[in-house]
Amino acid sequence: MGRYRIRVATGAWLFSGSHNLVRLWLVGARGEAELELQLRPARGEEEEFDRDVAEDLGLLQFVRLRKHHWLVDDAWFCDRITVQGPGACAEAAFPCYRWVQGEDILSLPEGTARLPGDNALDVFQKHREKELKDRQQIYCWATWKEGLPLTIAAQRKDDLPPNMRFHEEKRLDFEWTLKAGALEIALKRVYTLLSSWNCLEDFDQIFWGQKSALAEKVHQCWQDDELFGYQFVNGANPMLLRRSTSLPSRLVLPSGMEELRAQLEKELQNGSLFEADFILLDGIPANVIRGEKQYLAAPLVMLKMEPNGKLLPMVIQLQPPNPSSPIPTLFLPSDPPLAWLLAKSWVRNSDFQLHQLQYHLLNTHLVAEVIAVATMRCLPGLHPIFKLLIPHIRYTMEINTRARTQLISDGGIFDKAVSTGGGGHVQLLRRATAQLTYCSLCPPDDLADRGLLGLPGALYARDALRLWEIIARYVEGIVLLFYQRDDVVRGDPELQAWCREITEVGLCQAQDRGFPVSFQSQSQLCHFLTMCVFTCTAQHAAINQGQLDWYAWVPNAPCTMRMPPPTTKEDVTMATVMGSLPDVQQACLQMAISWHLGRRQPDMVPLGHHKEKYFSGPKPKAVLNQFRTDLENLEKEITARNEQLDWPYEYLKPSCIENSVTI
C-alpha cells in the first residue's frame, strides 16, 4: 500500500470553478487506481488530498479525470494536477490549462516533454496520436479571402474551440471598452454639432478623453519636419524606410530642379539618403463612405540623415508617373506651408494604410494565427515545441476572429472610416501577402536588407535586434535540451509536419518566398522558432502600441482623405486641408479605435512571464529563468536610455511586450 498526495489547481478566471463532481484516476506503469474523491473544484483554489492506494502503480504516467453533471454541464478550468507518490518518489506534474466539459474521460500525461517515438506500443505515443487526431477535427483551416493566409475555421467568436476563447475578464473588458468608445464618439459628436470645422485647431474640440502623454506631444509638434522624419524610424510603423542605393526610377525630376538632383545625389554618395515608397497602394480602389468618395495616393518620400541623426524630408511625390498624365508634382519643404503640410498629410495617410494592413494585420496577426492553428494541429501537448509555443498563441484566434467580424468585415470599422475600406483593404492585403518573405519577419535580415543596421537614433532597430538575440538564446536553450544533433531534428515527423503545415498550408505555398518546408538542422529550427516567438510578441508590440500615441491626434495620421491629392501648390488653402482630412465622425472613430487597440490590456502577460508550467524538470525552468533575467537587464538598459531622450521609445521595453497577440 502506498500513500499519494494529490493537488488539484483550478484557474483564477471568472467561472473557472465548477459545481459538477470530478472523479480522478492515477495511471502508472504497473496499474491504475481510482481515487475516491468528492471534488467540486473552486475558482482560484488548489485543493489537496491524501489517498492510500492498495497496489504499487509504478512510475506515474497519466492522471485521468471525468466530470459528471446532472442538469447543467458546468465547465471547469483545470490548471494542473500534481501527485506526490509514496516514499522518496519525486512529485509528478500533469499540466492541463484547459476547459473540462462534458462527461468524456480526459487523460493528462505526465508533463515531461517527449519527442515522438516509433514504438506503437508506447502509451505516450498512442496518447499523442489520438490527441492530434482529435485536435485536427477541432482546429480546421478556412479561407477568409482568396490570396491571403488561411485562418481558423470560425465564422464568429462563438464557433471557436473553448480553449482559444477570451477568459471572462478579458471578454468583459474588451466589450466594455467598445461601448465606452461608442459613448465617447456620441458625446464628441454632440459637442461639435454646432461648432465650426474650418481650421486645424477645430480638431482640438475632439482631442479629449483617453489619450497618452506622448499623444499630447504629437499634438504640439506634428507639423515639424523633424517629427515627420522621426516617425519613419521610431513611430507606429518603422517598417517601410530603407537606405537608398540609387535614385528611384519613379522619381521624375523635371527641368529646373537640377539643384534638387545635385542635393539628392550628394546625399546618396554620402550614404545618407533614405526613401519610403508607398507604391503598394498604386491602383487600390478607394472607399465610399456615406455616399462620399474617398481618395488614396501612392507617395514616395526622399529623406536625408543629418549629421546629428535627424531624418528630414527633402521631396515628396504623391503619385507615381503615368504615361497618360502630366509629370507628377514634386512637393518641397520650401513650398507654401499649407501645400507642404498637405503633402505630408497624404504621406501619413498612406502610412496609416500600410501600417494597419500590411505590417500590423498581415505580418503579425495573420502570421501568428497560422502559427497558432498549425501548432494545435501538428504538435501534441507532450512535444517540447508545443510547450515552448503555447504561451505565445493565447487569445490570438479570438482577437483575429473578432477583427474579421468587426474591423475588416463588410460594414466594419474599415468600411466606415478608412480610405482603403470597401474592398480596397482586401486587395492591398493580397499584394502584401505576395511580398511577404521569411526574411522580412526576421529583424537581422530585414534591417540589413533595408540598410538600417547601425543607424543612429533608430531605437526600434536597436531594441528589436537586442530582443531577437535574447529570444534566440531562450529558444536555443530549449531546443538543445531535446535535439542534441541535427539528425534528431530531421527525424522528428511531428516537427516536420508542423513546418510544412505553416509554409505549404497556412501561408499558401510560401516556400517561394523563403519559408522552409523542412528543418534540416538545429540552427535552422532555432531561427524559425525565434521568428515565431518574436512575431507573436515583440514585433506585435512594436507595431500595435504606437497607435495610441501617434494616431490619437488625427491630422498626424488621417485614416482617410476626402479630396484628391493636390497637383498644384499655389491653390492649397486651409479649406483644401480641412476638406481633405477626416470629418468629425471619421476622426472620432479613429480616436476611439486607437485607444481601444493601443492601450495596455488589463490582463496583460509580459513577455516570458506566463504563469503556466507546461514543462517539467529543472532544466527547462533554468532556461526560462535565464530568459527572464536577460529581459530584466534589457528593461534596465532601455529605461536608463529613455530617461535621456525627449521622445522615449517604450514599445519594446520587455515589461510593455505582451506574451502573445491578444489585441
Side-chain angles (χ1 to χ4, degrees), residues 38-50:
Q38 296 294 316
L39 176 61
R40 284 186 169 82
R43 171 192 171 195
E45 297 292 327
E46 182 176 85
E47 299 169 76
E48 183 176 304
F49 308 89
D50 288 335

Side-chain angles (χ1 to χ4, degrees), residues 268-293:
L268 181 65
Q269 291 172 2
N270 292 338
S272 54
L273 186 66
F274 295 82
E275 63 193 70
D277 193 346
F278 298 86
I279 194 66
L280 204 66
L281 286 162
D282 187 34
I284 296 293
N287 199 1
V288 176
I289 301 175
R290 301 192 305 276
E292 293 185 11
K293 181 172 172 53

Side-chain angles (χ1 to χ4, degrees), residues 67 69 73-76 99-104 106 161-163:
K67 186 174 65 63
H69 64 266
D73 182 7
D74 188 12
W76 167 41
W99 291 101
V100 180
Q101 295 177 305
E103 292 190 321
D104 292 338
L106 178 63
N163 294 310

Side-chain angles (χ1 to χ4, degrees), residues 313-566:
M314 298 179 69
V315 58
I316 295 174
Q317 179 196 64
L318 291 182
Q319 297 284 27
N322 186 323
S324 61
S325 303
I327 294 175
T329 303
L330 298 182
F331 292 83
L332 308 170
S334 57
D335 288 341
L338 286 178
W340 179 237
L341 180 65
L342 183 58
K344 290 192 293 181
S345 295
W346 269 102
V347 172
R348 298 296 305 134
N349 165 262
S350 300
D351 198 48
F352 181 101
Q353 314 305 320
L354 292 193
H355 166 241
Q356 294 289 21
L357 293 169
Q358 181 176 17
Y359 298 110
H360 186 191
L361 177 60
L362 173 64
N363 288 18
T364 62
H365 279 260
L366 297 186
V367 169
E369 186 173 1
V370 167
I371 295 166
V373 177
T375 298
M376 298 308 293
R377 287 178 57 83
C378 298
L379 299 177
L382 283 167
H383 201 289
I385 305 307
F386 177 88
K387 292 175 181 287
L388 172 71
L389 290 178
I390 187 65
H392 304 298
I393 65 175
R394 172 182 183 248
Y395 292 163
T396 299
M397 293 186 201
E398 174 149 353
I399 194 60
N400 284 8
T401 301
R402 285 178 179 265
R404 286 188 287 273
T405 56
Q406 296 175 295
L407 190 66
I408 52 175
S409 57
D410 292 342
I413 300 297
F414 260 71
D415 284 4
K416 291 176 180 176
V418 182
S419 49
T420 47
H425 60 308
V426 177
Q427 292 192 32
L428 182 58
L429 282 167
R430 286 196 184 103
R431 291 185 183 182
T433 299
Q435 295 185 7
L436 176 64
T437 64
Y438 181 29
C439 287
S440 70
L441 299 178
C442 304
D445 303 318
D446 174 63
L447 291 166
D449 177 64
R450 294 194 284 135
L452 302 186
L453 293 176
L455 189 68
L459 305 178
Y460 161 79
R462 187 184 310 172
D463 294 352
L465 288 173
R466 288 282 283 115
L467 278 159
W468 178 273
E469 293 168 2
I470 289 170
I471 292 171
R473 279 198 298 272
Y474 168 55
V475 164
E476 182 179 7
I478 294 294
V479 166
L480 294 184
L481 292 177
F482 301 95
Y483 297 94
Q484 289 80 20
R485 303 180 312 277
D486 290 343
D487 64 295
V488 182
V489 173
R490 291 192 293 269
D492 183 342
E494 292 169 350
L495 183 71
Q496 301 296 343
W498 176 73
C499 179
R500 291 192 301 273
E501 190 89 357
I502 289 175
T503 297
E504 297 182 344
V505 182
L507 293 178
C508 304
Q509 306 299 324
Q511 57 266 40
D512 294 341
R513 289 173 272 124
F515 288 87
V517 292
S518 66
F519 299 125
Q520 298 300 310
S521 66
Q522 297 166 316
S523 61
Q524 188 186 16
L525 171 60
C526 288
H527 192 80
F528 191 81
L529 288 170
T530 302
M531 179 278 292
C532 291
V533 176
F534 185 88
T535 297
C536 295
T537 59
Q539 185 62 19
H540 180 256
I543 296 299
N544 181 71
Q545 293 182 68
Q547 296 176 98
L548 188 61
D549 297 328
W550 300 101
Y551 291 176
W553 177 246
V554 173
N556 181 63
C559 58
T560 192
M561 299 294 269
R562 297 182 294 129
M563 291 178 66

Side-chain angles (χ1 to χ4, degrees), residues 1-177:
M1 178 179 288
R3 169 155 288 207
Y4 290 82
R5 175 163 292 175
I6 302 98
R7 296 184 181 91
V8 180
T10 295
W13 321 106
L14 281 174
F15 310 127
S16 291
S18 175
H19 296 292
N20 295 162
L21 183 67
V22 177
R23 295 168 59 195
L24 277 79
W25 293 261
L26 299 182
V27 181
R30 298 195 187 100
E32 66 178 76
E34 180 177 357
L35 304 177
E36 295 181 2
L37 298 178
Q38 296 294 316
L39 176 61
R40 284 186 169 82
R43 171 192 171 195
E45 297 292 327
E46 182 176 85
E47 299 169 76
E48 183 176 304
F49 308 89
D50 288 335
R51 289 293 183 271
D52 292 325
V53 174
E55 59 185 298
D56 178 12
L57 300 180
L59 192 65
L60 289 180
Q61 298 173 330
F62 296 91
V63 167
R64 291 195 179 123
L65 52 89
R66 185 177 188 184
K67 186 174 65 63
H68 293 271
H69 64 266
W70 300 105
L71 297 175
V72 177
D73 182 7
D74 188 12
W76 167 41
F77 193 89
C78 176
D79 271 1
R80 67 202 297 257
I81 298 172
T82 56
V83 182
Q84 177 71 57
C89 291
E91 184 176 71
F94 301 83
C96 184
Y97 304 110
R98 71 188 97 161
W99 291 101
V100 180
Q101 295 177 305
E103 292 190 321
D104 292 338
I105 293 176
L106 178 63
S107 293
L108 302 179
E110 191 275 320
T112 301
R114 295 171 171 84
L115 295 179
D118 53 10
N119 181 3
L121 299 178
D122 179 9
V123 291
F124 292 113
Q125 185 65 26
K126 290 180 179 179
H127 173 82
R128 66 200 303 149
E129 289 171 1
K130 180 181 185 304
E131 182 181 18
L132 286 183
K133 184 178 179 181
D134 292 343
R135 288 233 217 104
Q136 287 166 9
Q137 300 298 314
I138 297 170
Y139 296 89
C140 299
W141 293 106
T143 300
W144 179 63
K145 300 288 182 182
E146 290 292 337
L148 304 187
L150 300 189
T151 68
I152 184 68
Q155 293 291 322
R156 51 200 180 92
K157 62 184 186 298
D158 294 336
D159 298 334
L160 287 166
N163 294 310
M164 295 295 116
R165 297 295 310 274
F166 288 172
H167 289 307
E168 189 66 11
E169 289 92 337
K170 169 78 170 179
R171 183 191 70 80
L172 290 171
D173 174 78
F174 187 92
E175 294 176 359
W176 176 85
T177 53

